[in-house]
Amino acid sequence: MKNKRSIRKNYIANLAHWERRLRLGSGLILVAFVVPHLTNHALGIFSFEAMEALRDWLALVWRSTAGTVFLYGAMVSHFALALYSLFRRTTLRMSAWEAAQLILGLAIIPLLAFHAIFNRMVWELTTTEVDYQLVIATIWYKDFETWRILLLVLVVWAHLVIGLHFWGRVKAHYPTFLPFLYAIAVLLPVLALLGFIRSGLNQPYSGGEKYVDRMLNSPFNHKLQFIQSLEPITLWTFLGLLVGVLLAREVNRIYAMRHGVFRLQHAGGNSISVPVGRSILEAVRAAGIPHASVCGGRARCTTCRVRISWGLDRLPPSGQLEATALKRINAQPNVRLACQTRPQSDVTITPLVPANASPEEAYKAGGLSGSEQKIVAMFVDLRGSTALGQSRMPYDVIFILNQFFAELAEALSATRGHYAHFAGDGLLALYGLEGEFQQGCRDVLAGAAEMLDRLELLNKRLNHELDEPLRIGIGIHSGEAIVGTMGPPKAPTLSAIGDNINIAARLEAKTKVFKCNIIVSSDTVRHAGLIPDPTTEHKVAVRGRKGEIMVLALDSVNDIPGFHQLIITPSI
Ligand code: FES
């Protein structure tokens, strides 16, 4: 039974993953069609010949078998995904831009139906070349069609721009390209409309009506009438699907209400009764509580993240999309994305990002903002780096340092360590951020062993480059610290501050005094579940702290009795 449940969860997680990819892929194909298409319209400012020249090239792509499959496949799947996401919404409360995106997207079908069907089907069924003059003539034939196309250009473009903007704005380099994209967003539709209007005014069939009448009376007229009859069929099918989805959504909602509710306690004081199946984001929105959601609930921005202070153990596990997003921001285990989490029993949440969050929040490591917790700090310093700099060319020094830091980073990732910052020739690493404190104490010892092993191998590898082997000093201490994202707004990192962090730095400095590789506080060793050997234990005074602390001065963590039995050091 449990196995069945986990298979279903995996299936749903994978489905969400592929749904997002399909939405993005189909959207980008449609962008690849719309942008050149509007550019083609814009050429109408110059002449029909210019329009035809580009159209011939575009027709080669989009009328080919592959182009047809991609284009129509993208249209159908994009529309189907829109209906599916409408069905899945348990509330129609949404932000203004999401509502605009949805309404504009749905409006495209009735506006586009005739234009798309006519252009393609005339060519397919009658082999009449649907060139610009013919298309413009059939559009200028009636005022209604003219206005419909003008509106279609604006609606399609607005839908596309909103979609691209909300996809791109959580990307780090988006602000760099924004002025350029902004210019395109304004200029392209304006030029396209001008080109369309000018070509309409200049079209050779001033009696457009006569031209279309002549077409309808041509030997192909029965085919043309059939083509015209497809428009109402398309519109009724669209309406039927839309109404069907809204009804199915309502049935689903009533079913969910009958099958249970959970209580959501919000840090702001509200307590909400929520039907099972609704996400936390949908629940708070339905209750009228503002909540950050830069990407509109697509697991991309992480601005909807909440800390679960009660009910965490009964939440369904994160799906692949959510887990990836949370990993990207180094979120703590009690942090979840409100847009992806659908509780089945009572929960208490605290939003971690202000409701009016900007896209920059998406770049920040998160979930640990300003929390105080017990962690383990490790300071590592490269010995003799000044001499290294004096004896070698700058390029060689950088090369050696990069190799050195790469090994340290590997050692950290192999032992669940998190680097807080590299500074000059040293680094601060944190352990125990994501798991238990005791496990962090064991991991940090494994990390120290891993670093020394890797350094030995690096020294062998760089044997011919170095006058003498690289050596490091490691200081380790544990205890309460303030952990959070810090640094300049565009480059914040997850780090920690506090007395215990300073002590780790001071212990590292003492490795020179004791002429050893590692100094670790005895308490950290005990928290790891080991008994310090009194012969290697020392009392040391640490600047900035009253009294002395007990430490172990070691050349290797293997000198701690029982280390090997307790800790399995990852192999290189
Ligand atoms: S709203 Fe963007 S990740 Fe949840």
Side-chain angles (χ1 to χ4, degrees), residues 378-399:
M378 171 201 263
F379 256 91
V380 184
D381 189 52
L382 178 64
R383 297 266 175 273
S385 57
T386 314
L388 183 72
Q390 284 165 352
S391 64
R392 313 204 68 84
M393 298 290 286
Y395 176 83
D396 293 337
V397 177
I398 298 290
F399 171 76

Side-chain angles (χ1 to χ4, degrees), residues 39 42 58 64 85 128 158 202 214 233 245 278 300 419 463 477 484 511 514 533:
T39 308
L58 296 178
S64 68
S85 76
T128 302
N202 289 341
R214 204 168 60 231
I233 294 174
V245 165
R278 199 170 269 195
R300 290 207 301 254
Y419 96 82
N463 189 19
H477 186 57
T511 56
F514 283 88
D533 176 359

Side-chain angles (χ1 to χ4, degrees), residues 20 97-98 170 281 285 291-305 321-322 325 328 336-340 362:
R20 193 169 103 173
W97 75 263
E98 279 179 84
V170 295
L281 182 64
R285 276 193 175 160
H291 196 98
S293 156
V294 166
C295 73
R298 296 188 173 92
R300 290 207 301 254
C301 67
T302 73
T303 52
C304 64
R305 57 189 180 253
L321 283 181
E322 185 187 7
R328 175 163 54 83
R336 297 291 298 263
L337 295 186
C339 67
Q340 302 296 310

Side-chain angles (χ1 to χ4, degrees), residues 4 25 63 187 195 353 357 500:
K4 259 191 182 171
R63 282 184 184 171
L187 278 179
V353 176
N500 290 314

Side-chain angles (χ1 to χ4, degrees), residues 35 184 201 256 261 403 442 491 524 531 572:
V35 172
I184 294 179
L201 294 175
V261 290
Q403 301 262 319
R442 289 193 281 276
T524 305
I531 311 290
I572 295 171

Side-chain angles (χ1 to χ4, degrees), residues 167-180:
W167 170 62
R169 72 175 186 160
V170 295
K171 310 247 177 254
H173 297 298
Y174 183 66
T176 315
F177 298 106
L178 198 53
F180 176 65

Side-chain angles (χ1 to χ4, degrees), residues 230-550:
L230 289 178
E231 188 192 3
I233 294 174
T234 309
L235 292 181
W236 281 114
T237 309
F238 163 72
L239 260 182
L241 283 172
L242 189 58
V243 171
V245 165
L246 290 173
L247 284 176
R249 191 186 141 272
E250 195 54 23
V251 170
N252 198 32
R253 195 185 64 79
I254 293 168
Y255 177 85
M257 284 294 269
R258 291 222 173 122
H259 284 75
V261 290
F262 65 91
R263 187 145 285 280
L264 189 150
Q265 182 68 44
H266 193 276
N270 305 58
S271 179
I272 318 161
S273 183
V274 186
V276 168
R278 199 170 269 195
S279 73
I280 293 175
L281 182 64
E282 288 170 336
V284 291
R285 276 193 175 160
I289 303 170
H291 196 98
S293 156
V294 166
C295 73
R298 296 188 173 92
R300 290 207 301 254
C301 67
T302 73
T303 52
C304 64
R305 57 189 180 253
V306 292
R307 178 179 294 126
I308 309 288
S309 36
W310 201 79
L312 180 68
D313 49 334
R314 291 188 302 278
L315 284 180
S318 305
Q320 190 183 348
L321 283 181
E322 185 187 7
T324 308
L326 290 173
K327 191 168 174 212
R328 175 163 54 83
I329 57 162
N330 283 317
Q332 277 184 315
N334 62 350
V335 172
R336 297 291 298 263
L337 295 186
C339 67
Q340 302 296 310
T341 309
R342 296 177 189 276
Q344 286 164 358
S345 53
D346 299 355
V347 281
T348 302
I349 62 156
T350 307
L352 293 173
V353 176
N356 58 353
S358 66
E360 282 73 36
E361 294 291 337
Y363 312 139
K364 292 182 182 171
L368 291 166
S369 309
S371 67
E372 199 170 352
Q373 70 176 98
K374 273 178 125 181
I375 54 159
V376 192
M378 171 201 263
F379 256 91
V380 184
D381 189 52
L382 178 64
R383 297 266 175 273
S385 57
T386 314
L388 183 72
Q390 284 165 352
S391 64
R392 313 204 68 84
M393 298 290 286
Y395 176 83
D396 293 337
V397 177
I398 298 290
F399 171 76
I400 292 168
L401 283 179
N402 281 340
Q403 301 262 319
F404 166 71
F405 282 126
E407 292 299 335
L408 292 196
E410 286 291 327
L412 287 178
S413 99
T415 56
R416 291 185 281 257
H418 167 86
Y419 96 82
H421 61 250
F422 287 108
D425 51 8
L427 73 82
L428 165 65
L430 304 175
Y431 279 83
L433 286 175
E434 290 166 16
E436 282 185 7
F437 173 63
Q438 282 77 6
Q439 183 60 47
C441 294
R442 289 193 281 276
D443 287 342
V444 78
L445 296 177
E450 182 82 1
M451 282 180 185
L452 289 169
D453 286 349
R454 284 180 174 273
L455 189 64
E456 200 179 319
L457 289 180
L458 180 65
N459 280 328
K460 282 186 187 152
R461 234 174 35 234
L462 299 180
N463 189 19
H464 299 296
E465 319 278 337
L466 298 167
D467 298 333
E468 56 183 80
L470 299 175
R471 294 195 58 218
I472 54 175
I474 301 175
I476 299 171
H477 186 57
S478 55
E480 294 277 350
I482 295 170
V483 182
T485 52
M486 13 191 131
K490 286 282 165 76
T493 56
L494 181 65
S495 193
I497 50 171
D499 278 355
N500 290 314
I501 306 295
N502 298 338
I503 289 171
R506 308 260 188 272
L507 293 185
E508 182 281 315
K510 292 221 179 276
T511 56
K512 291 174 200 153
V513 179
F514 283 88
K515 297 195 176 10
C516 63
N517 293 329
I518 305 164
I519 292 197
V520 51
S521 58
S522 300
D523 281 349
T524 305
V525 174
R526 283 199 188 84
H527 288 309
L530 298 166
I531 311 290
D533 176 359
T535 60
T536 53
E537 233 178 349
H538 305 270
K539 265 187 191 168
V540 295
V542 176
R543 186 158 52 89
R545 177 178 167 128
K546 279 188 192 159
E548 295 171 314
I549 61 171
M550 297 299 292

